[in-house]
Amino acid sequence: MKNMKKFIMAAVGGTIMGVVATTQIAAPLLAQESAKTENVYEQLDLFGDIFERIRAQYVEETDSSELIEAAINGMLTSLDPHSSYLSPKDAAKMREQTRGEFGGLGIEVTQEEGFVKVVSPIDGTPAAEAGIEAGDFITHVDGESLLGLVLDEAVELMRGPVGSEIVITVVREGEQEPFDVSIVRDTIQLTAVRARTEGDTVVLRLTTFNEQTYPKMKENLEKLVEEAGGLDNINGVVLDMRNNPGGLLNQAIAVSDAFLEKGEIVSTRGRELADGDRVNAKAGDLINGKPMVVLINGGSASASEIVAGALQDHRRAIVVGTKSFGKGSVQTVMPLRGSGAMRLTTARYYTPSGRSIQALGVSPDIVVAQPPATPESEDEDTVARPLRSEADLRGSLNNDSLTDDQIKQIMEDRAKAEKAAELREEDYQLAYAIDILKGLSALGTSDEE
């Protein structure tokens, strides 16, 4: 009995000592946390003191709401180029943009080293028609320097009434001096998807990832396949995402899923492990495994890189072009009181193989640069004359080994080849992608035989 009492007392004593030891360890941590909290309150008091002094002593009368908005925006933009405060007006414009219609020049921009950098011009917009290119730096608007302005302020300078003219100063790699470009503002009608058939290839041009992208892509693809007489009559699909600045994450996932039967599409990792997410493809491929080529360049960013990375990692498509932009972060738009919003970077995304493209971009499987446009020569003597062949000679013998139908087929194939050659002059990268699909199709045919 005495031994039992000793055992109980020892157990209780051990518990008490454990509590004391835990308290001794936790106390400094609690003190540190309390000190941090007090420091935060001190900093907030400092902010309040500065705010009041500006309101009372600044040389001109100030607008309190504008001061607070500027403070909030400064806090957010100090984090990274993609986090920012959206005033009620800017939040409304952003909602318009995701729906596919907004006013402006037609460029997607970011900020680098204090200047506005063009991520990509949008097809068919005033900026694209004026020759603005991905990677251009815009330093001045109507002679006013953008240095020192936050991105939203710089963008606001470029906005204006439809039909009004704006002069932007551009610094471009390879050009020794900055140059001015005059652009007339217009209402930007975003056509998310353009689709056409080039020979036996379906070309799907995705210009942005908004609410229209996946539905329009699916609709256009099915229409073109039907017009071709079924999937057996097409040799593959080119997914052209050059100069596509990205957009909605869910649309990038839907486009990737459209051509994948299974496997991971993208994973996101936030600050906490529990905030991570992984999205997998559902069964079903819109083109039943037909070959694909994805076209990208330095203007392909964000959602475009998610699609290119997913299809590349699964070896579902050959990626052709030049290195993409390298935006590997996810922004969440959080509504705020007063109809404003906060755009905050909340996660990084990773391709199925686990690689982040942040600052590195997606590297093409085959690097193909778009040759610079060369002005046509006006000297007629420099124009190449077509070479004469045996068939052009008077009295030449006919081909006696082919039927009329076979000769007709050869002539049709030759016409297709000549059309492809013309496409190389207009769009070398696209022609290259189509040639890859022709080669894959020919190999597939020979294997079947």
Side-chain angles (χ1 to χ4, degrees):
M1 192 67 180
K2 285 181 180 179
N3 288 338
M4 181 63 72
K5 284 182 180 178
K6 285 180 181 178
F7 176 77
I8 293 169
M9 288 302 292
V12 172
T15 304
I16 292 168
M17 288 299 292
V19 171
V20 171
T22 305
T23 305
Q24 287 173 342
I25 293 168
L29 295 176
L30 289 171
Q32 287 175 19
E33 198 62 37
S34 178
K36 283 182 184 177
T37 304
E38 285 179 13
N39 187 48
V40 169
Y41 285 134
E42 285 176 8
Q43 294 293 320
L44 288 173
D45 285 341
L46 175 62
F47 171 78
D49 185 31
I50 292 170
F51 175 71
E52 288 301 332
R53 290 193 184 193
I54 290 171
R55 286 210 310 167
Q57 298 177 18
Y58 185 63
V59 66
E60 295 175 358
E61 194 170 334
T62 57
D63 185 317
S64 298
S65 61
E66 287 182 3
L67 285 176
I68 292 171
E69 277 191 14
I72 294 169
N73 206 34
M75 182 166 53
L76 287 165
T77 54
S78 71
L79 301 172
D80 64 74
H82 308 293
S83 296
S84 63
Y85 170 71
L86 298 170
S87 67
K89 184 171 68 173
D90 291 337
K93 285 181 179 177
M94 188 206 66
R95 286 190 290 270
E96 287 175 5
Q97 185 165 343
T98 58
R99 286 196 297 268
E101 182 179 338
F102 59 97
L105 303 180
I107 47 174
E108 178 76 14
V109 294
T110 185
Q111 198 160 36
E112 192 172 297
E113 297 176 1
F115 289 112
V116 173
K117 184 179 182 180
V118 177
V119 175
S120 67
I122 299 167
D123 287 357
T125 63
E129 291 169 6
I132 301 300
E133 297 179 2
D136 283 350
F137 282 92
I138 300 173
T139 61
H140 293 74
V141 170
D142 290 331
E144 184 176 342
S145 175
L146 302 184
L147 188 63
L149 297 182
V150 297
L151 187 59
D152 286 342
E153 290 172 334
V155 169
E156 194 61 36
L157 279 179
M158 288 186 273
R159 290 178 178 146
V162 170
S164 61
E165 188 178 11
I166 179 176
V167 177
I168 60 175
T169 304
V170 174
V171 173
R172 180 176 295 168
E173 188 177 353
E175 298 284 343
Q176 291 186 350
E177 298 291 334
F179 57 92
D180 290 341
V181 179
S182 177
I183 305 175
V184 176
R185 296 179 179 97
D186 199 359
T187 300
I188 308 304
Q189 295 277 355
L190 276 185
T191 304
V193 181
R194 292 186 177 93
R196 70 182 193 274
T197 304
E198 286 284 350
D200 298 325
T201 303
V202 172
V203 179
L204 297 173
R205 167 81 180 126
L206 307 188
T207 61
T208 187
F209 283 86
N210 62 26
E211 293 170 1
Q212 305 171 17
T213 304
Y214 172 72
K216 288 292 183 185
M217 184 195 77
K218 184 173 184 289
E219 178 187 325
N220 278 277
L221 175 59
E222 290 173 346
K223 180 184 175 185
L224 290 175
V225 168
E226 185 181 346
E227 288 174 358
L231 279 171
D232 291 340
N233 295 324
I234 69 164
N235 62 16
V237 166
V238 174
L239 195 63
D240 183 359
M241 296 187 295
R242 290 173 296 175
N243 292 331
N244 183 325
L248 300 177
L249 176 63
N250 65 342
Q251 291 294 306
I253 291 168
V255 169
S256 304
D257 198 355
F259 304 106
L260 292 173
E261 287 282 0
K262 61 181 181 179
E264 182 181 311
I265 294 172
V266 67
S267 62
T268 59
R269 300 176 205 169
R271 183 172 173 173
E272 305 293 337
L273 287 176
D275 296 336
D277 193 18
R278 191 180 303 273
V279 182
N280 293 313
K282 296 183 287 292
D285 180 344
L286 290 181
I287 55 173
N288 293 339
K290 284 278 184 179
M292 287 187 72
V293 173
V294 169
L295 274 177
I296 59 170
N297 65 4
S300 307
S302 192
S304 304
E305 295 172 297
I306 288 174
V307 176
L311 297 179
Q312 183 182 54
D313 281 1
H314 284 289
R315 300 187 181 278
R316 179 63 186 89
I318 298 170
V319 179
V320 172
T322 55
K323 182 178 75 69
S324 63
F325 185 76
K327 179 181 176 292
S329 59
V330 179
Q331 283 68 47
T332 303
V333 178
M334 306 173 184
L336 300 173
R337 65 184 69 181
S339 301
M342 175 172 64
R343 185 169 49 208
L344 187 67
T345 301
T346 52
R348 288 183 172 90
Y349 69 77
Y350 298 81
T351 70
S353 64
R355 60 185 167 135
S356 167
I357 58 87
Q358 178 62 31
L360 294 175
V362 174
S363 298
D365 299 308
I366 304 173
V367 176
V368 180
Q370 186 80 349
T374 53
E376 293 182 6
S377 172
E378 295 180 1
D379 188 352
E380 292 182 3
D381 292 338
T382 62
V383 178
R385 295 178 181 175
L387 297 174
R388 299 180 71 189
S389 70
E390 173 73 13
D392 296 319
L393 300 179
R394 184 177 297 178
S396 62
L397 296 175
N398 293 327
N399 188 309
D400 62 352
S401 69
L402 299 174
T403 66
D404 289 344
D405 286 344
Q406 288 173 322
I407 293 172
K408 182 181 176 184
Q409 184 61 50
I410 287 172
M411 299 305 289
E412 286 176 356
D413 290 344
R414 186 174 296 168
K416 286 181 181 178
E418 288 171 355
K419 189 176 179 183
E422 290 175 7
L423 182 61
R424 286 188 198 98
E425 293 294 324
E426 297 170 13
D427 190 339
Y428 182 77
Q429 289 175 319
L430 177 59
Y432 197 105
I434 291 171
D435 283 345
I436 289 173
L437 290 178
K438 284 180 183 174
L440 291 172
S441 178
L443 285 172
T445 302
S446 62
D447 288 343
E448 288 169 6
E449 292 172 354

